Amino acid sequence: CLQKDLVPRLPQETRLFTMASEETKPKKQRDEECIINGLPGELIERIFLKLPVSTLLRCTGVCEQWHKLIRDPQFVTSHLQDAPQCAVLFFPQESVSGEPHPADAILIDEAWSPSTYAVPVIGPDDFLCGSCNGLLVLYTKSSTLKVANFATGECLHLEKPVKNLRGDHFLFYNFGFHPLSKEYKITHFLGDPVVGSTRSHNNSRFSVIQVYTLGGEKWRDIKTPEALSLNCVKNSGAVNIDGTMCWLIEDMVANWQHAVMTFDLSGESFARIQLPATVHEDCAGGGPRRYWIREIDRKICIATAQACPSLPRRLVGMLQIWELENKTEQRWSLKYNIQYSPDYIPGPNLVHRNKIILQRRDGNLYSYELLGENFNTKLYVYKKTAIARRPKQREGWELKKWEAWEHQLSDYEKLWTRLHEEEHEGIALAEHSSISFNGLLPRILDDAIRQDIGMKINKICPSLPDQQPRPLRRLNCVAQKQDRENLSARLENYSSIMKASREASKSIMSMILSAVENQRGASGSNAGISSQNRSEGDDAKA
């Protein structure tokens, strides 16, 4: 839907120019296109369904027939269904040891391989509200939200429902797609107005959900069945599953003192789902329980763990993940039971393809493999829409606070450049030394010594790793960290190799000088013996 809306119609002059361009194409190119377009339409579509989005975007400019096929909403839906499912790890802007770090994102594919490059549509101060079908909704500090297309790099700027809203938060926004209505919708939990104020809204309760349908003209207000807790949304999150938005609400009568509230994006209706009646076996010295709502395998899941009484941001005991097996019967089952370490930040960060990603207090991410029921875990280190446009590559980066961060990236690139230059110089110096030493070998008469020195000469040329071209695009935060570690390791390796090469050269030179001196000494001794023998012979003759 958004992909179609983001493509502007070509003006009449452009279409005429395109037709003229077709006539001026070389005959060979026109013949090739005729052969391809002569294939059955179903076969062409099946071929296109196997191509990545980046290739399809280039194909739209080949001819009108391909453009029409690829931009058809039905084809977009079919291509989306066959596309691999990737998880998005979003890192909000934060300050570490007084140094700002920009927002960033990493894609994890089906093979659990992380992406390398930064996502250009994400500004340094953006926050992620939601993602769906390759689209992101990003909360900005301006008066607009940003709807970004991962594949095309196109952005849509949408005015927030309330301008300059005090206490507004990116967690109060959400984004989803309904498979039946084929509509994308953005939702916003609007805090109840403060009595006596026209602009202030409280941050604890809300009675209205504001809804915007992509392609529509304005936000609409939908009243909730009752006043609901904003703190639950902020602390526990919200998910969208098959066109239904779900979040936790307070229910003080229930065993878990929480329930699930759902909002159908198509009918825009509410429903309540009770949580399990199971009584938790909490630790005697533990604190209150915390709850999070997550989506696993397209099902509603609740994660819960007991907080530490003295350190509420630490958890104790087991992290339980319950799955809603049957929505109609409201039947739950315990899916995972994980021994939680206090070194980890509370809450499951992400569950993707039988693995759970958790963040430790050292800032690193770790994944656990979920091995089934009652499993053990294995740790792996490692108002109207504005005009659609491509984002400026420098959007948000012009702020002064990012100057030092960008200078640091530039300094690392200079270090890489200097290291590559020194590696070239080191290799050239070693090769020059090798040629010089080989030129001295014929002066050594002793075959064994000459052979031994020759073998050592062959080893002085350093064996350095191949120099890979530096990436033209900015790396994401994880790839940057790995790149810095690679730089440090390569510098250390280069230093060690060159040190060994210099020591080997000194040893070879010492061996050559020693051999030459020995030969000179031997020649002098032989000359003295010959002179003495000649003198004795002359005396005998006399």
Side-chain angles (χ1 to χ4, degrees):
C1 182
L2 179 59
Q3 289 173 342
K4 180 182 178 182
D5 292 340
L6 288 175
V7 180
R9 284 187 57 84
L10 294 174
Q12 181 69 24
E13 295 83 2
T14 306
R15 294 200 294 271
L16 291 173
F17 175 77
T18 304
M19 294 174 60
S21 300
E22 291 286 334
E23 295 177 359
T24 58
K25 288 180 180 178
K27 184 177 183 303
K28 181 180 179 182
Q29 185 178 350
R30 293 201 305 271
D31 292 342
E32 288 174 350
E33 291 180 5
C34 288
I35 294 173
I36 296 174
N37 290 332
L39 297 173
E42 292 182 1
L43 181 57
I44 295 176
E45 183 174 348
R46 287 175 61 184
I47 294 172
F48 283 168
L49 286 174
K50 301 296 182 183
L51 298 178
V53 175
S54 57
T55 303
L56 289 175
L57 290 174
R58 292 196 295 269
C59 289
T60 57
V62 172
C63 63
E64 186 177 352
Q65 179 183 347
W66 287 14
H67 185 278
K68 184 178 180 181
L69 171 62
I70 295 171
R71 292 297 185 177
D72 183 85
Q74 186 173 353
F75 174 82
V76 173
T77 302
S78 299
H79 188 272
L80 184 63
Q81 291 173 348
D82 294 339
Q85 299 295 314
C86 294
V88 180
L89 275 177
F90 185 84
F91 301 87
Q93 181 267 329
E94 61 178 348
S95 180
V96 179
S97 300
E99 295 182 2
H101 291 258
D104 211 338
I106 296 172
L107 297 181
I108 299 177
D109 62 18
E110 294 176 321
W112 272 85
S113 298
S115 60
T116 301
Y117 297 108
V119 181
V121 294
I122 296 177
D125 295 295
D126 290 348
F127 291 90
L128 180 65
C129 301
S131 63
C132 182
N133 296 342
L135 303 178
L136 302 178
V137 171
L138 298 164
Y139 180 92
T140 70
K141 293 182 178 180
S142 66
S143 62
T144 64
L145 299 172
K146 185 164 62 176
V147 183
N149 189 316
F150 245 134
T152 66
E154 294 168 312
C155 288
L156 201 66
H157 285 261
L158 173 70
E159 288 189 4
K160 293 176 182 176
V162 181
K163 292 184 178 180
N164 303 320
L165 181 61
R166 294 178 183 175
D168 202 18
H169 199 278
F170 71 94
L171 288 174
F172 300 159
Y173 292 84
N174 219 292
F175 179 53
F177 171 79
H178 201 285
L180 297 181
S181 65
K182 309 296 183 185
E183 290 179 325
Y184 289 90
K185 293 188 178 182
I186 303 172
T187 60
H188 174 234
F189 299 131
L190 178 63
D192 291 340
V194 176
V195 178
S197 174
T198 58
R199 292 183 56 189
S200 298
H201 289 67
N202 71 58
N203 293 323
S204 59
R205 316 293 293 180
F206 70 98
S207 303
V208 169
I209 293 181
Q210 297 178 297
V211 180
Y212 178 82
T213 304
L214 290 188
E217 294 188 356
K218 62 180 181 179
W219 290 85
R220 295 174 292 106
D221 291 351
I222 309 294
K223 288 198 172 187
T224 62
E226 58 187 280
L228 301 174
S229 170
L230 271 176
N231 289 329
C232 275
V233 175
K234 203 168 184 177
N235 296 330
S236 306
V239 295
N240 272 286
I241 304 172
D242 294 332
T244 301
M245 185 171 63
C246 313
W247 68 97
L248 289 177
I249 61 172
E250 295 174 341
D251 187 350
M252 305 311 292
V253 179
N255 284 341
W256 291 15
Q257 299 184 346
H258 289 81
V260 176
M261 181 65 76
T262 66
F263 178 69
D264 182 79
L265 293 179
S266 178
E268 297 183 346
S269 58
F270 296 88
R272 180 192 293 252
I273 299 174
Q274 297 298 328
L275 295 182
T278 304
V279 177
H280 295 295
E281 298 179 1
D282 289 341
C283 302
R289 277 200 163 264
R290 297 189 61 180
Y291 297 88
W292 301 269
I293 188 166
R294 293 292 184 267
E295 175 266 326
I296 302 176
D297 298 331
R298 307 193 72 81
K299 289 188 177 182
I300 301 173
C301 290
I302 302 297
T304 178
Q306 198 175 4
C308 178
S310 58
L311 299 169
R313 286 193 57 80
R314 292 195 177 188
L315 304 181
V316 295
M318 307 297 288
L319 173 68
Q320 296 182 347
I321 299 180
W322 292 75
E323 178 184 88
L324 181 61
E325 287 187 335
N326 188 298
K327 189 174 181 180
T328 304
E329 299 177 4
Q330 300 191 11
R331 185 174 69 250
W332 297 81
S333 66
L334 180 60
K335 187 175 180 68
Y336 300 119
N337 201 22
I338 305 170
Q339 181 63 49
Y340 205 88
S341 169
D343 291 335
Y344 292 94
I345 295 175
N349 296 76
L350 176 72
V351 176
H352 177 59
R353 292 192 168 270
N354 296 322
K355 287 187 181 181
I356 183 170
I357 296 179
L358 301 173
Q359 186 177 13
R360 292 186 63 169
R361 298 185 186 279
D362 59 7
N364 293 321
L365 294 174
Y366 295 83
S367 66
Y368 283 88
E369 186 175 348
L370 307 177
L371 303 179
E373 196 171 321
N374 298 322
F375 69 104
N376 295 318
T377 57
K378 185 186 293 184
L379 180 64
Y380 290 86
V381 180
Y382 91 130
K383 210 167 126 148
K384 289 189 178 178
T385 304
I387 298 174
R389 60 179 177 83
R390 291 188 178 275
K392 298 176 182 178
Q393 294 300 313
R394 301 298 306 160
E395 189 173 33
W397 294 99
E398 68 277 2
L399 297 179
K400 190 174 181 179
K401 68 177 180 179
W402 299 117
E403 287 182 1
W405 186 84
E406 291 196 306
H407 281 313
Q408 189 179 53
L409 290 187
S410 177
D411 289 341
Y412 274 111
E413 286 302 320
K414 290 176 182 177
L415 278 174
W416 272 111
T417 301
R418 181 56 187 156
L419 175 59
H420 287 169
E421 290 173 352
E422 289 192 2
E423 287 178 345
H424 280 299
E425 293 171 2
I427 292 173
L429 179 60
E431 290 176 347
H432 177 75
S433 299
S434 177
I435 294 172
S436 300
F437 289 147
N438 282 319
L440 297 174
L441 281 182
R443 301 185 182 185
I444 300 174
L445 304 179
D446 190 298
D447 292 340
I449 295 176
R450 186 172 63 249
Q451 185 177 2
D452 186 26
I453 294 175
M455 292 176 63
K456 291 183 180 294
I457 291 173
N458 293 333
K459 295 179 180 179
I460 66 170
C461 288
S463 178
L464 296 171
D466 293 337
Q467 294 185 358
Q468 302 297 330
R470 297 294 297 153
L472 299 178
R473 293 169 56 188
R474 181 170 64 86
L475 301 175
N476 60 39
C477 56
V478 173
Q480 283 177 20
K481 182 178 179 181
Q482 185 64 55
D483 190 56
R484 289 193 292 268
E485 291 174 355
N486 292 341
L487 175 61
S488 178
R490 187 154 183 152
L491 280 167
E492 185 176 349
N493 183 52
Y494 170 73
S495 178
S496 299
I497 289 175
M498 295 310 298
K499 181 180 178 181
S501 179
R502 288 192 298 269
E503 290 176 352
S505 297
K506 290 179 181 179
S507 176
I508 292 170
M509 179 59 73
S510 178
M511 291 176 66
I512 292 175
L513 292 175
S514 178
V516 171
E517 288 295 329
N518 289 338
Q519 288 176 185
R520 287 177 180 173
S523 298
S525 297
N526 292 335
I529 294 171
S530 298
S531 176
Q532 183 179 357
N533 290 338
R534 283 196 301 272
S535 176
E536 291 175 354
D538 291 341
D539 290 343
K541 288 181 182 178

